[in-house]
Amino acid sequence: MSTSAILLVGGMGTRLLPLTLKTPKPMLQVAGVPFTEHQIRKAADAGIAEIVLATSYKSELFEPYFGNGERFGIKIKYAVEKSALGTGGGIRNAANLLADCDQVVIFNGDVLSGHNLAGQLEFHKKNQADITLYLTQVEDARAYGCVELLENKQVKSFLEKMENPISNLINAGCYIFNRQIIDQIPQDKVVSVERETFPNLLATNAKVFGYLDNSYWLDIGTPAALVKASADLITGVIHSSATPNHAGDNLISPSAKIGSGCVISNGSVIETEVVVESNCQISGSIIGSGAKIGSNCKIIDSIIAPGAQIQAGMVVLTNYLGF
Ligand code: GTP
């Protein structure tokens, strides 16, 4: 049984504005690399040989960094939607580039998770499912796609974002589709996999299963979540092959210049060519390439854009400056 993958990276990332004005969400730096690199490595680690990036917003920015994928041990192809086709339309469009395969793992481009992908694939095969959704449990399910499961782990209902959630099990953004099921999604049309494809498939009695895995899960779609994801990767709360051997307190580029008396902690990342003058305190933050931080600054749980200049003595608390 051969497995390929599609990575959905075409969204506008409106919740992350203004960080996404020039850079699409999946290309924002998280723990020193574009976020997408963590997911590509996860797919490669699970033995997947090929991944198609379903791009739309700022599509031209992906290929120069990822190339043909050789560097990451996986073949990478690029599908481009001239105008965004939504999650379902994006999957259908990207599937045209897939080599022959039996099933396709589909990743939302904004989820950092420690879930057991090999386990999900095993579960999918064992149940001879048409689709297997990775699910996680949350306290407040209102902002997510909510799933009700039967005793045998088959999905009974799927309801996107609702005021009174039917359960606390949510769609965690990684699906396995049997290859031929994708062909049921209309071609060249805007389709939402969450609002149309899943409910339609359930209505036609397709075998949709839910794979519950409560390990680390984070939707990086807001600035606060993005900076938390980065710090969690650096401090080793969650592992990624894109940032190997990282269980330190910070990640400082060798080309950065750090003045005397600075304390850089709680998973902060100091990217290339950054200058931090003396006696700064930087905690849980990302300082983008080439930024200059004046002396005696305090920067906590914040993101400073590449090239930004922060004046001496500034206090920056959960803020996102210079984008
Ligand atoms: P927000 O606008 O902040 O909600 O972010 P978003 O645009 O990324 O939307 P959302 O978080 O709902 O998207 C979930 C995943 O699907 C993300 O990885 C998006 O990149 C991706 N996505 C959303 N819309 C499209 C689309 O039209 N085409 C493709 N290829 N991917 C999409």
Side-chain angles (χ1 to χ4, degrees):
M1 294 269 262
S2 64
T3 307
S4 291
I6 292 173
L7 180 54
L8 290 167
V9 289
M12 304 267 298
T14 49
R15 287 169 298 154
L16 267 164
L17 281 170
L19 283 71
T20 43
L21 277 176
K22 294 190 203 142
T23 310
K25 172 166 57 176
M27 290 302 289
L28 288 170
Q29 298 276 316
V30 172
V33 296
F35 181 68
T36 290
E37 186 171 335
H38 298 288
Q39 289 180 301
I40 286 179
R41 297 269 185 194
K42 181 162 181 145
D45 288 350
I48 294 171
E50 166 190 71
I51 189 162
V52 180
L53 269 52
T55 68
S56 178
Y57 179 64
K58 302 212 178 281
S59 56
E60 69 284 1
L61 297 183
F62 291 87
E63 194 166 354
Y65 183 86
F66 290 105
N68 64 6
E70 214 175 344
R71 213 154 44 97
F72 308 97
I74 189 166
K75 188 173 192 174
I76 302 181
K77 296 176 181 168
Y78 302 86
V80 181
E81 296 148 47
K82 283 200 188 75
S83 66
L85 292 172
T87 45
I91 294 169
R92 179 71 164 97
N93 186 57
N96 294 330
L97 296 184
L98 289 172
D100 261 356
C101 60
D102 300 303
Q103 64 248 318
V104 185
V105 177
I106 293 159
F107 296 95
N108 272 6
D110 51 5
V111 168
L112 179 63
S113 89
H115 97 280
N116 179 356
L117 181 54
Q120 186 184 356
L121 278 159
E122 202 47 48
F123 177 90
H124 179 78
K125 290 176 205 166
K126 192 186 83 195
N127 288 302
Q128 299 184 319
D130 293 318
I131 295 184
T132 298
L133 309 178
Y134 154 40
L135 308 176
T136 192
Q137 235 157 348
V138 294
E139 266 174 36
D140 182 358
R142 281 178 300 179
Y144 304 102
C146 206
V147 170
E148 224 181 344
L149 279 187
L150 297 170
E151 192 82 346
N152 70 350
K153 310 289 182 239
Q154 204 159 343
V155 174
K156 184 176 165 206
S157 49
F158 186 103
L159 288 156
E160 189 64 9
K161 301 183 181 67
M162 58 193 305
E163 224 4 81
N164 298 303
I166 46 173
S167 79
N168 64 349
L169 294 181
I170 62 154
N171 166 20
C174 178
Y175 330 113
I176 302 167
F177 274 56
N178 279 349
R179 174 65 189 86
Q180 61 288 13
I181 290 278
I182 297 179
D183 294 337
Q184 295 185 16
I185 302 173
Q187 177 102 280
D188 298 326
K189 282 211 168 119
V190 178
V191 180
S192 159
V193 78
E194 299 88 350
R195 293 181 191 280
E196 296 167 75
T197 311
F198 292 144
N200 289 347
L201 283 164
L202 287 172
T204 55
N205 294 322
K207 286 174 75 182
V208 183
F209 278 78
Y211 176 76
L212 179 62
D213 184 326
N214 277 325
S215 45
Y216 185 99
W217 178 85
L218 187 63
D219 168 358
I220 61 125
T222 62
L226 186 90
V227 76
K228 176 174 169 25
S230 184
D232 285 349
L233 282 159
I234 297 303
T235 53
V237 175
I238 165 91
H239 168 80
S240 162
S241 302
T243 44
N245 311 323
H246 243 290
D249 207 27
N250 60 38
L251 177 68
I252 300 177
S253 162
S255 64
K257 291 195 176 72
I258 311 291
S260 60
C262 290
V263 178
I264 298 171
S265 63
N266 292 323
S268 292
V269 179
I270 311 292
E271 292 176 6
T272 55
E273 313 291 335
V274 166
V275 177
V276 182
E277 290 181 358
S278 57
N279 301 315
C280 287
Q281 186 191 333
I282 300 179
S283 168
S285 297
I286 300 173
I287 313 296
S289 292
K292 291 196 169 51
I293 314 293
S295 57
N296 299 301
C297 282
K298 201 170 172 180
I299 301 177
I300 315 287
D301 298 336
S302 296
I303 307 178
I304 307 300
Q309 305 220 358
I310 304 296
Q311 283 177 8
M314 286 244 318
V315 176
V316 184
L317 263 182
T318 46
N319 212 333
Y320 314 99
L321 299 182
F323 287 93

